[in-house]
Every structure is written in structure tokens, then in C-alpha cells.
């Protein structure tokens, strides 16, 4: 028996993610429940309990209808299922935009009730004051710029950002302001590659891309998309698993066996 004491597992910290700027790419994935989070925890440094759960798990058309209570519920599950990754919980639409103090009240609730290590909120320059207010009061913030799904009604849908070069200064300003306000990292979603590269080069905090090319300091995907559970994944997703097909096959096999009275069999019966 080894006399060496096993080193306790400890969580990745916010300063550790912040320090990854320009270094080894940050691996991030979403997760909404304990079982998948436990698997992701062995491979990713950041797990985001994204408000995409409204669309992925609850069949909503957009993320706009996601309530704070739902984020708290899924955040708790993910924290319970993990030991290593930094868990970041999304602030849903309507829970932080009104004022910095409303944002603090709701972010503090998310942190207290879930045990997560940070929150994420959407918006660039317009959220600077709020990001500063939160970080100065002990709430680490991951920002989110580019395509911000909670504003899909204003943006006219889920549209790639930065196709028109005239818009680039505004996106670069978003990145500058959130970093200066104290965000420790920034998700850059759905922007053209040269803009993602400019933002990453100019921004002093790590950029975590989704549909924003390999120019970013890290990558994030929605777990269900990369596992093959979304029949129509966005173009920027690479599908690493075929879980949708596997589930279909398994459910069809079960249904066939129940109908044929082949399940339960000898091994599944209490004698
Ligand atoms: O809600 C979410 O899952 C996200 C990621 C797509 C970055 O914000």
C-alpha cells in the first residue's frame, strides 16, 4: 500500500483561468445536470451552466424565457456532480440588466444557492458598470460578446456578427470595456474569424470562442450539440459523438422487446 497521501482534488480557480491568456487553450463545455457534468469535469477546466438549457432541455424557442430559479436548480446539480472544474452559471435575461444592484442581488443568490465559482452575463460596453459593481463585491464575472442570444429579438435572430467591417470597432470596444471592468474571461460568440483574432489580440483576458474560430484563447460548445443530440446543430459545431442515434436504437430495441414479451427476462426478475 502506498504511504503517499493522495493530493486532494481542488477546483480550478478564476485567477487560474485568467492567467491562461495566450497559453494552453482553455477547454470549456456546457452541462446542465450532475451525470454529464461528472464526465465533463474530468476533461474541461470550465463548465458553463448555460441558459441554452432553456432551448436544449426545456424546448424553448429562445433563451429569453429562462427563469432564474431554473438556472439555480441546474447550477446546484452541476456543482454537486463535479469536483474539479470551475462552474460558471449564466445569469438569465431580466436578472441583471436593470441595474448593478439588481444584478448583484441575483448573482449573489446564484452563488450562494448553487456553490458555483462565477457567473456569466451577456453584453459588452453597456454592461461595464454592472461587471465592475459585481467584481468589486466578490462576484467573478465571465462576459459574453458578439452574438448575444438573449438579444436575438433585437439582432433579428441568431446572426453571425462582424460580417460588416464597419461594426468591428464596436465589438473591440465591448471586449475592452468588459476586461477593464474586471471580467476574468469573455465568451466571444458567432463572429467572423478576423474579428475574433483582433479581439483576442487586443483583449488582456482570455477569449473563449463559440463559432468564433481557433483564434480564441479557448473554446466552448453546447455539450448536447457536440454529442450528436441536436438534429440540426449550428455550422460551427463539430459532432464528436452519435448519442442521438444510439438513444434511438436503444429505445427501439426496448420497445420491440417489451412488445415481444422478451423484456424483462430471467436476469431482471426477482424470484
Ligand atoms: O447558454 C450557453 O450555453 C452559452 C454558450 C453557448 C456560450 O452561453
Amino acid at each position: 500500500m502506498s504511504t503517499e497521501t493522495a493530493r486532494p482534488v481542488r477546483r480550478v480557480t478564476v485567477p487560474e483561468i485568467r492567467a491562461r491568456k495566450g497559453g494552453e487553450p482553455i477547454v470549456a463545455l456546457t452541462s446542465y445536470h450532475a451525470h454529464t457534468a461528472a464526465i465533463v469535469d474530468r476533461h474541461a477546466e470550465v463548465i458553463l451552466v448555460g441558459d441554452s438549457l432553456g432551448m436544449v432541455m426545456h424546448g424553448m424557442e429562445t433563451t429569453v424565457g429562462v427563469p432564474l430559479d431554473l438556472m439555480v436548480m441546474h447550477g446546484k446539480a452541476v456543482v454537486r456532480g463535479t469536483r474539479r472544474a470551475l462552474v460558471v452559471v449564466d445569469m438569465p435575461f431580466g436578472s441583471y440588466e436593470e441595474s448593478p444592484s439588481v444584478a448583484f442581488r441575483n448573482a449573489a443568490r446564484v452563488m450562494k444557492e448553487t456553490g458555483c465559482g462565477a457567473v456569466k452575463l451577456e453584453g459588452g460596453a453597456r454592461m461595464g458598470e454592472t461587471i465592475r459593481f459585481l467584481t468589486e463585491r466578490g462576484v467573478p464575472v465571465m462576459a459574453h460578446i458578439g452574438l448575444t442570444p438573449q438579444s436575438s429579438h433585437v439582432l433579428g435572430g441568431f446572426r453571425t456578427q462582424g460580417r460588416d467591417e464597419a461594426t468591428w470597432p464596436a465589438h473591440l470596444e465591448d471586449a475592452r470595456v468588459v476586461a477593464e471592468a474586471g471580467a476574468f474571461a469573455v465568451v466571444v460568440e458567432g463572429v467572423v474569424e478576423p474579428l475574433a483574432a483582433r479581439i483576442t489580440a487586443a483583449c488582456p483576458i482570455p477569449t473563449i470562442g463559440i463559432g468564433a474560430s481557433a483564434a480564441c484563447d479557448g473554446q466552448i460548445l453546447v455539450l448536447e450539440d457536440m454529442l450528436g443530440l441536436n438534429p440540426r446543430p449550428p455550422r460551427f459545431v463539430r459532432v464528436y459523438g452519435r448519442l442521438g442515434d444510439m438513444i434511438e436504437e436503444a429505445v427501439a430495441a426496448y420497445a420491440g422487446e417489451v412488445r415481444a414479451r422478451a423484456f424483462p427476462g430471467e436476469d431482471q426478475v426477482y424470484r
Side-chain angles (χ1 to χ4, degrees):
M1 201 173 87
S2 165
T3 52
E4 228 177 89
T5 321
R7 243 195 284 158
V9 179
R10 64 163 191 83
R11 291 221 182 246
V12 174
T13 64
V14 161
E16 281 166 352
I17 295 299
R18 169 76 185 73
R20 290 277 287 272
K21 177 71 194 175
E24 191 192 351
I26 297 163
V27 179
L29 275 170
T30 65
S31 183
Y32 315 128
H33 37 63
H35 282 137
T36 56
I39 298 169
V40 175
D41 194 45
R42 295 196 279 274
H43 305 275
E45 290 87 48
V46 176
I47 300 181
L48 172 68
V49 185
D51 63 350
S52 53
L53 64 81
M55 299 169 75
V56 176
M57 298 207 61
H58 298 273
M60 296 176 181
E61 284 280 311
T62 71
T63 55
V64 170
V66 175
L68 189 63
D69 286 349
L70 204 57
M71 297 309 303
V72 169
M73 192 175 83
H74 287 280
K76 279 182 190 171
V78 169
V79 171
R80 282 190 208 115
T82 57
R83 298 191 309 154
R84 197 188 138 267
L86 173 68
V87 177
V88 180
V89 176
D90 245 342
M91 299 296 292
F93 180 69
S95 69
Y96 62 93
E97 303 88 334
E98 189 180 334
S99 69
S101 48
V102 167
F104 180 78
R105 192 172 317 125
N106 287 325
R109 178 181 168 213
V110 167
M111 293 197 70
K112 276 169 185 267
E113 293 186 23
T114 68
C116 71
V119 300
K120 176 167 82 58
L121 53 81
E122 294 185 9
R126 69 184 164 87
M127 294 314 301
E129 189 192 348
T130 297
I131 293 171
R132 188 178 303 284
F133 194 88
L134 294 183
T135 52
E136 282 175 352
R137 286 160 180 77
V139 179
V141 177
M142 178 180 277
H144 185 153
I145 62 171
L147 196 176
T148 45
Q150 291 174 11
S151 310
S152 61
H153 292 300
V154 174
L155 298 173
F158 298 95
R159 291 175 186 280
T160 307
Q161 302 294 297
R163 288 202 188 282
D164 177 359
E165 227 175 292
T167 65
W168 289 14
H171 292 294
L172 285 159
E173 177 65 0
D174 281 343
R176 190 192 66 75
V177 171
V178 299
E180 211 173 276
F184 68 93
V186 56
V187 168
V188 180
E189 177 164 356
V191 308
V192 296
E193 182 176 34
L195 175 57
R198 286 269 198 103
I199 292 173
T200 300
C203 189
I205 56 174
T207 57
I208 301 184
I210 175 162
S213 86
C216 297
D217 296 302
Q219 297 292 326
I220 185 163
L221 284 176
V222 169
L223 184 66
E224 281 74 0
D225 286 349
M226 60 87 86
L227 290 179
L229 280 165
N230 180 351
R232 281 176 300 281
R235 178 171 177 270
F236 59 76
V237 172
R238 183 172 292 164
V239 177
Y240 289 86
R242 297 276 162 208
L243 243 61
D245 295 342
M246 287 174 69
I247 293 173
E248 183 86 44
E249 267 174 43
V251 173
Y254 166 76
E257 291 193 355
V258 169
R259 291 193 182 107
R261 294 196 187 283
F263 175 83
E266 264 311 300
D267 293 347
Q268 291 88 36
V269 174
Y270 297 108
R271 295 286 178 202

